[in-house]
């Protein structure tokens, strides 16, 4: 029999956010708005809930930090897939242009470093302190406060950890993956901003032809 007594493994607040994300994704598909900031955030919220629900149903016996890293990696792939689907139904798309490929600059490399550092800190905290924040560690007022928090957010266990770990970690992992893809794509190409790079002036072929005539 289904136990609906509080607190739930995944609380009302994540569930309400998932309902909002589902509506936002539905609206982006029906109106064919496609890829917007609202639809991307909706995709992230929906994927995070799917990962948390999977953790609640499957109940993996592996280490929590490893389960979180797997959820972040698979969640990033799911987000890319959803965004690709949104792009396919988008009614107004920018005109295709020939991109000028060049090696990533210092700002992009710095951004990749920030994303990697954030992932290391986030997953490292889950690895070093897997049981921190659980209500069993508190007494008195703090225990009551923790129990009240669990009524709204959910029981401090793997599903809730997966939910917030995906919400916070997937954007950083997506940025890191896009940066690595840009590095491989532009490997061996010169940097257009290098001081030694010379631009070849355009030649007016028509003018030269008229001069010969």
């Amino acid at each position: 029999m289904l136990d609906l007594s509080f607190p739930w493994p995944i609380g009302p607040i994540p569930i309400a956010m998932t309902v909002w994300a589902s509506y936002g994704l539905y609206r982006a598909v029906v109106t064919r708005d496609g890829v917007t900031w609202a639809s991307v955030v909706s995709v992230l919220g929906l994927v995070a809930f799917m990962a948390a629900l999977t953790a609640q149903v499957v109940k993996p016996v592996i280490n929590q930090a490893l389960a979180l890293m797997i959820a972040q990696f698979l969640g990033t792939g799911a987000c890319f897939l959803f965004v690709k689907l949104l792009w396919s139904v988008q009614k107004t798309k920018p005109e295709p242009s020939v991109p000028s490929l060049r090696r990533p600059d210092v700002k992009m490399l710095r951004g990749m470093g920030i994303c990697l550092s954030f992932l290391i800190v986030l997953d490292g905290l889950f690895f070093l302190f897997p049981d921190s924040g659980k209500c069993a560690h508190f007494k008195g007022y703090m225990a009551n406060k923790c129990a009240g928090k669990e009524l709204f957010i959910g029981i401090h266990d793997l599903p809730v950890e997966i939910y917030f770990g995906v919400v916070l970690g997937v954007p950083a992992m997506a940025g890191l993956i896009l940066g690595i893809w840009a590095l491989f794509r532009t490997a061996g190409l010169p940097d257009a901003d290098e001081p030694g790079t010379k631009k070849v002036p355009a030649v007016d072929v028509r003018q030269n032809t008229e001069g010969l005539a």
Side-chain angles (χ1 to χ4, degrees):
M1 185 177 179
L2 184 62
D3 185 12
L4 296 179
S5 60
F6 284 100
W8 295 346
I10 305 174
I13 290 181
I15 292 175
M17 294 176 65
T18 304
V19 172
W20 173 85
S22 301
Y23 171 75
L25 193 59
Y26 167 78
R27 181 179 176 83
V29 173
V30 172
T31 60
R32 298 185 63 188
D33 289 338
V35 181
T36 61
W37 283 108
S39 63
V40 171
V41 173
S42 299
V43 166
L44 179 60
L46 183 61
V47 168
F49 181 80
M50 292 170 58
L53 185 61
T54 302
Q56 173 63 22
V57 174
V58 176
K59 299 184 184 300
V61 295
I62 58 178
N63 182 270
Q64 292 187 5
L66 179 59
L68 175 60
M69 288 186 285
I70 294 174
Q72 289 171 341
F73 182 77
L74 296 179
T76 303
C79 286
F80 282 139
L81 179 61
F82 275 115
V83 170
K84 179 66 176 178
L85 294 175
L86 287 174
W87 176 260
S88 65
V89 301
Q90 186 166 334
K91 57 184 177 182
T92 56
K93 298 179 181 179
E95 293 294 333
S97 59
V98 179
S100 57
L101 294 179
R102 62 185 181 88
R103 288 180 297 179
D105 53 9
V106 178
K107 292 182 179 179
M108 181 177 291
L109 295 177
R110 187 182 296 116
M112 292 174 59
I114 294 174
C115 291
L116 180 59
S117 301
F118 182 79
L119 281 173
I120 292 175
V121 172
L122 179 65
D123 296 345
L125 289 175
F126 278 100
F127 176 76
L128 295 175
F129 309 103
D131 296 330
S132 63
K134 291 188 175 181
C135 296
H137 302 307
F138 301 105
K139 295 181 180 179
Y141 170 76
M142 293 302 298
N144 295 332
K145 185 177 180 180
C146 181
K149 180 186 67 175
E150 286 190 344
L151 287 176
F152 295 97
I153 298 178
I155 299 175
H156 190 102
D157 204 355
L158 184 61
V160 171
E161 292 178 357
I162 291 290
Y163 180 85
F164 288 101
V166 169
V167 167
L168 298 175
V170 163
M173 183 170 288
L176 182 61
I177 291 176
L178 290 176
I180 295 174
W181 176 77
L183 287 177
F184 277 103
R185 188 185 181 191
T186 59
L189 294 178
D191 192 349
D193 296 333
E194 288 182 355
T197 304
K198 295 182 179 180
K199 296 184 179 180
V200 180
V203 179
D204 192 346
V205 180
R206 184 177 59 184
Q207 182 179 357
N208 292 343
T209 306
E210 292 176 355
L212 293 176

